[in-house]
Structure formats: C-alpha cells, structure tokens
Amino acid sequence: MPETLGFEELFSDVLVESRIVMNESLLELIRGPVSLSDVFAKYSGEEFYKITSEWEEPGRGRFTARIYRFNGRVLAAIVEGAGSRLLGSDALEAVFNRSMSIVRVYRIPLDLLKEIIGEEQFREITSTTPRKAEAEEKVVEAEKVEEKTSTATPQTVEAEAPTTSYETTPLEKPVPEIHQLVKPAVEKVSVEDLKRGIARLIGDFGLEYLNIEVSETEEIVKVFVDLNPIPTWVSLRSILYSIVYKYVELRHRYPVMKLEIRLGDMHDSLLLTKPEEVMIAAVVGRIEYELVQNGIPVKDTAYTIDREKMTLTIIIKAKKPVYPGVKIEDVARKAYEEAKKEWSGELYIRIKTGRFGGVRIPK
C-alpha cells in the first residue's frame, strides 16, 4: 500500500476544499465493485486528481473518503465519518481494505495545486517523475528482499516475501475489470447528442418542443428551447434546472451557461457564471426532475450554502401530486439519494407543500 506525502492538514482546510470544489471537473463516475488500486492504475499520469468515495457502515453511519493524487503520488488521504477523522496511511488502509461501489474521479487545474502547496513544494514533487519514484521503490524492495534472504531460512523468506503493489509496478498490475465497469474518461458527446438528451428530457415532462438550439465553446454554453404551447403544470424554471443537470451528466463540465426557454407567451432564462453555480443548479435540477417525473409540481426553489462546511440546503415549494398514490416523502428520498451523487459536501432537502405540510431529507 502506498504512503502519502503528508499534506492531509492542508487539504482538510475548508477554504482549500471549497476552492477545489469550485474548480474541479468530474472525469468519471465509476460504479463498482472496484478497488482503489485499480483506480490508481488508471489515473497515474502527471495530472492533479481528487478521488472520492462514500459508504455506509451499519450502526455507525456514512463515511466519506477524499484522496488527492499528483504525478503518480498520493498527496493526502482523508476519511471522515462517525464523528472521527482518519489521515494519511490510516485513511488509505481504511479505503484499500474495502471494495467500493461508487467512486468519483475529478481533475483539478495544476495552477491551483501550485497555489495550494506553494511553488517550492510543487517543484519538488514534479522533479520526481513517476518512473523515477518507481525505480527508487524497486531498489528499496530489492534491498529488503536481499536483507531477508541473508538473515532468514528459505521457508521464512518465502512466507515473508513482499507482495508487489501498484506503487511498485504500476504498468505490470493487471486491471481486467476496470475497463468493463466504467466508461472512458473523456466521452465523445456531440452537440447533436446534447440536443437529443434535452429532447428526451422534454418528452419525460410530457411536453413537445418546436426547436432546440445548442451552441458550445470551451468556456460558454448557450441553450435555447422553444416549446409547443400546450397546457402544462410544469414550471419553465424546473425545466431549465433539469437541462443543466442533463448537460453536466453528459459533459461532466461546469462552464458558463446561458439558458432560455419559451412556451407561447411565457419565457424564462438562467445565467450561470461560476462552476459552483452550475454545480448547484445541476443538483437542484436532479431533484426537480425526480419530483416532476412523479407528478409533483414545483412552484419555487431557493437554496442556501455554507461554503466553509460545503453544506447545501435546497428549499422547494411544491404542490400536491397530480397523480394518485404518490407519496412526496418517498419521491423526495429517492431524489436526495440521486442528488447526493452530484454534491461532494453535505446536502439537505426541504420540500414545503403548504403552510404546515412538508418533508425534510434527512430528517
């Protein structure tokens, strides 16, 4: 199992974590079971990655792991949950010893890493290339084997021979299952694919479109949707938020977004200029998509965010379901579980259905 470079306290700082969240881009959502060593094997290049995973332990609650990796080395490993925190090798051991069901891999700009750890530390880490580090570790392992051979019986040497880990020979470790479990890190999604995804979303809401326009550059995305003016109980703002969710799901990017929608003489627009705003809109869109899909009209949506703790609270005013037998709490709980996949911090949903009625997830 690899060691960390000891930057845990630095990456535990809430301001540092906030800056990372606002600048990271999701490369891959891996659905397991998958081991951390397989993820390391795939993401071993000279990039700055954040690898996260969450799991539940009966009677103890939810745990979250964050691992920061650069140039084939682990900068920091942090596991939090049950009112405690594990750092460094203890955190890595807790994650390495389990099979993870969901893992997210984010790429973070190298300029941000340089700002966080400082120019001198950055140069020092960069000067040790993955191949050089690998060679040094092989020499150390060989010396250990030679030392054991000279001091132990053949039976003891055989029992204590070191097991080759990923950090020692990253190119030799087989990873047969990871390519079957995940999609390519960079998906080729065309503008036409985006249009088709938005068209399906419109259809899921029981609506028809007259025209969908999407223009996209590296920095800015513009979306215009003209709907067939038929009666509907779905709000235009709910559709806009859901389109943001669909875009992020397909593209895994958080660019500046300008969205407009028209239904007859009704019109609404949404302008998102920061990655954080796009991320929040995608979370809101995932929740509202689930509500509308189950016949729960959304009247209004607001949110509050504690940036120090990365806590997002979404408040939704909704009407009673238009379909009989639908329970708002059941739908809200499913929406919460799906939206948690889009937000790396704490998430709370409050759905108000009248002056006194409402649902809180988690309670």
Side-chain angles (χ1 to χ4, degrees):
M1 186 181 69
E3 297 293 325
T4 80
L5 297 185
F7 289 100
E8 280 76 21
E9 290 297 336
L10 180 60
F11 283 99
S12 296
D13 185 275
V14 291
L15 295 179
V16 170
E17 174 63 10
S18 298
R19 292 185 66 194
I20 289 174
V21 169
M22 291 178 65
N23 288 277
E24 67 194 14
S25 57
L26 182 65
L27 284 180
E28 210 163 7
L29 174 62
I30 305 173
R31 299 186 183 278
V34 65
S35 68
L36 188 61
S37 60
D38 288 342
V39 180
F40 278 8
K42 185 168 186 180
Y43 292 97
S44 58
E46 297 179 12
E47 299 272 6
F48 180 26
Y49 300 110
K50 182 175 83 171
I51 301 167
T52 69
S53 182
E54 296 180 3
W55 65 90
E56 294 276 352
E57 292 190 8
R60 300 189 67 194
R62 180 182 292 271
F63 288 79
T64 302
R66 302 196 315 273
I67 298 170
Y68 299 93
R69 186 169 169 80
F70 168 63
N71 205 26
R73 311 290 292 277
V74 179
L75 301 178
I78 304 163
V79 172
E80 295 176 302
S84 62
R85 174 188 289 177
L86 296 176
L87 303 175
S89 58
D90 291 337
L92 277 181
E93 183 178 359
V95 183
F96 260 91
N97 289 340
R98 68 175 53 252
S99 178
M100 298 175 292
S101 58
I102 295 180
V103 175
R104 296 178 184 82
V105 181
Y106 301 87
R107 181 166 53 205
I108 306 160
L110 285 180
D111 288 344
L112 183 58
L113 174 60
K114 198 180 300 183
E115 291 178 20
I116 292 173
I117 67 175
E119 289 274 358
E120 185 176 343
Q121 294 274 23
F122 181 82
R123 284 197 301 271
E124 183 178 339
I125 298 172
T126 306
S127 64
T128 305
T129 64
R131 289 187 178 181
K132 182 179 177 182
E134 175 189 340
E136 290 172 351
E137 288 175 4
K138 284 183 176 180
V139 170
V140 172
E141 291 293 343
E143 290 174 350
K144 289 181 180 178
V145 172
E146 184 178 350
E147 181 180 346
K148 289 179 181 179
T149 304
S150 62
T151 58
T153 64
Q155 292 82 359
T156 305
V157 171
E158 182 178 356
E160 296 182 356
T163 302
T164 302
S165 67
Y166 159 67
E167 285 294 307
T168 304
T169 54
L171 299 180
E172 297 173 11
K173 181 175 177 63
V175 286
E177 68 275 0
I178 193 164
H179 299 294
Q180 301 169 10
L181 295 173
V182 301
K183 297 179 181 179
V186 179
E187 298 182 33
K188 293 183 178 180
V189 180
S190 67
V191 171
E192 291 303 317
D193 292 330
L194 292 173
K195 288 183 179 180
R196 282 191 287 270
I198 295 171
R200 284 193 293 269
L201 184 146
I202 298 298
D204 290 343
F205 288 165
L207 297 168
E208 302 172 356
Y209 68 91
L210 299 175
N211 185 33
I212 297 175
E213 297 178 7
V214 178
S215 64
E216 183 182 34
T217 67
E218 189 66 27
E219 295 83 17
I220 300 176
V221 176
K222 296 180 181 179
V223 179
F224 172 76
V225 178
D226 192 7
L227 297 175
N228 188 9
I230 58 178
T232 178
W233 48 265
V234 181
S235 74
L236 298 186
R237 182 53 60 97
S238 293
I239 300 173
L240 290 178
Y241 279 133
S242 298
I243 290 174
V244 175
Y245 148 67
K246 180 58 64 177
Y247 177 87
V248 170
E249 180 187 54
L250 292 173
R251 273 286 192 251
H252 309 310
R253 294 177 56 236
Y254 302 90
V256 174
M257 298 190 71
K258 182 179 181 181
L259 305 100
E260 294 184 76
I261 191 168
R262 183 172 62 197
L263 190 152
D265 59 355
M266 294 189 297
H267 175 272
D268 200 358
S269 63
L270 194 61
L271 178 62
L272 308 169
T273 61
K274 299 178 181 179
E276 176 189 294
E277 294 175 348
V278 179
M279 183 183 296
I280 292 172
V283 174
V284 171
R286 185 64 187 89
I287 295 169
E288 294 198 1
Y289 177 78
E290 198 68 42
L291 295 178
V292 174
Q293 278 279 84
N294 288 273
I296 301 174
V298 175
K299 295 168 58 180
D300 191 22
T301 303
Y303 70 85
T304 61
I305 179 171
D306 184 333
R307 287 177 172 79
E308 290 190 357
K309 299 179 180 179
M310 288 306 297
T311 300
L312 177 62
T313 302
I314 299 172
I315 303 110
I316 297 175
K317 293 182 181 178
K319 296 181 181 180
K320 293 182 179 180
V322 298
Y323 304 143
V326 173
K327 295 183 179 180
I328 292 182
E329 184 169 356
D330 292 344
V331 176
R333 190 168 297 280
K334 181 181 178 182
Y336 174 82
E337 294 300 327
E338 293 297 322
K340 274 290 291 180
K341 300 173 185 177
E342 309 292 334
W343 184 253
S344 58
E346 293 294 322
L347 177 65
Y348 298 91
I349 300 176
R350 307 287 183 259
I351 301 178
K352 299 180 179 180
T353 55
R355 188 171 182 181
F356 302 107
V359 172
R360 294 171 175 261
I361 306 291
K363 294 183 177 179

